[in-house]
Amino acid sequence: MNEALLRSLTPSVLAILVRRGADFAAAEDAVQDALVEAIRAWPADPPRDAKGWLVTVAWRKFLDATRADAARRRREDLVEEEPAPGPAPAVDDTLQLYFLCAHPSLTPSSAVALTLRAVGGLTTRQIAQAYLVPEATMAQRISRAKRTVSGVRFDQPGDVATVLRVLYLVFNEGYSGDVDLAAEAIRLTRQLAAAIDHPEVAGLLALMLLHHARRAARTAPDGSLVPLAEQDRGRWDTESIAEGVEILQAALARDRLGEFQAQAAIAALHADAPTAEETDWVQIVEWYDELARLTDSPVVRLNRAVAVGEADGPRAGLAALAALDDSLPRHTAVAAYLHERDGDLATAARLYAEAARKAPNLAERDHLTRQAARLNASR
């Protein structure tokens, strides 16, 4: 069973059902039922046209659910509109669906959560981790969003800012999580940049390209994480870096700074350094100051503490860290790193072990565990 194929077809199938009159919540349920049917039936009898098969089965699932309602006349109308079996048109509706999910009736946070779940293919748990909230809280938020848009007409697409937020979170999950969505997020952001002249769209595309350029060097052959300072910079994609820097410079020249442009500027400074020792940390701190002003994000301030520790010394970094809530994700890992830089190996080893227990994924947990073991062995 080709699960990647099913994931790639899901947005288009969902968009076709919505265009044909299905309300969003019912359409999503029907597509999920069709995917379950595909997993059951395809290994023994694979279809010649996977997309057409999913459209036909999902539409029938939707009709079956509708027949359970009291609105018989509407049910009969929908039956007459059932699409004929056969090849479905090769149209990419994914970006359009992102805009439709960012519906004006939803708050931005709810629109992002709903899109990540329905179109991006992320689990409720992955979305909750991205938002730093409990999984149960995120499940309730998504359920409320579904109820809000149930029955509304999707003829009022949402704003660009919400769609950018969704694309950014999808890229981050694809870059560091279990589902590879990074290339898809870049593809969709390219489409958006070609359609809309907006400096933040360009900033996000530059940010994605600059991060993605380092992807090959982020893991060792055994799958373990390689920190930025230890990465083989010869494995970085120089063409992607050059493209990202060019796009960023054009966006910054318009003097309409936004958070994605600021993040891309930080990524560009890392990419521009021939070695880790030559990184311009002073300028990176200045960009983190701009980013903190734009977002007031505690995660930004956490990353800034690391940059301060590199620019002004680990004790300055620890002082910046002390002003932040120690319950922040990766706060303990940052504290461990700065204590190690300051020469307090015992404290650093203890904090690395503590951070490993809190790590959100196996690769990060293994990395932090090895850091703790390395320091314990050296004492």
Side-chain angles (χ1 to χ4, degrees), residues 216-234:
R218 290 183 71 244
T219 54
D222 62 0
S224 60
L225 292 180
V226 180
L228 177 60
E230 300 172 19
Q231 289 177 14
D232 178 0
R233 299 185 179 219

Side-chain angles (χ1 to χ4, degrees), residues 174-197:
Y175 192 71
S176 61
D178 301 324
V179 182
D180 187 0
L181 297 169
E184 174 69 358
I186 292 174
R187 184 183 71 84
L188 293 174
T189 306
R190 283 192 188 277
Q191 286 187 7
L192 188 58
I196 299 176
D197 184 19

Side-chain angles (χ1 to χ4, degrees), residues 76-97:
E76 292 173 352
D77 291 341
L78 289 172
V79 170
E80 294 174 2
E81 296 170 9
E82 181 178 351
V91 178
D92 185 357
D93 301 296
T94 308
L95 189 58
Q96 178 191 8
L97 200 57

Side-chain angles (χ1 to χ4, degrees), residues 272-295:
D272 188 54
T275 65
E277 293 73 22
E278 295 173 87
T279 303
D280 189 344
W281 287 105
V282 172
Q283 194 172 169
I284 288 176
V285 171
E286 292 174 355
W287 275 111
Y288 270 123
D289 289 337
E290 289 285 353
L291 189 56
R293 179 182 60 80
L294 289 166
T295 66

Side-chain angles (χ1 to χ4, degrees), residues 312-332:
D312 301 327
R315 294 194 179 182
L318 287 168
L321 188 66
L324 303 176
D325 186 346
D326 61 8
S327 66
L328 276 172
R330 298 185 173 89
H331 183 285
T332 308

Side-chain angles (χ1 to χ4, degrees), residues 26 61-72 74-75 78:
K61 295 288 186 182
F62 170 71
L63 294 181
D64 289 343
T66 303
R67 292 188 183 98
D69 297 337
R72 179 174 299 276
R74 179 58 180 156
R75 293 198 303 272
L78 289 172

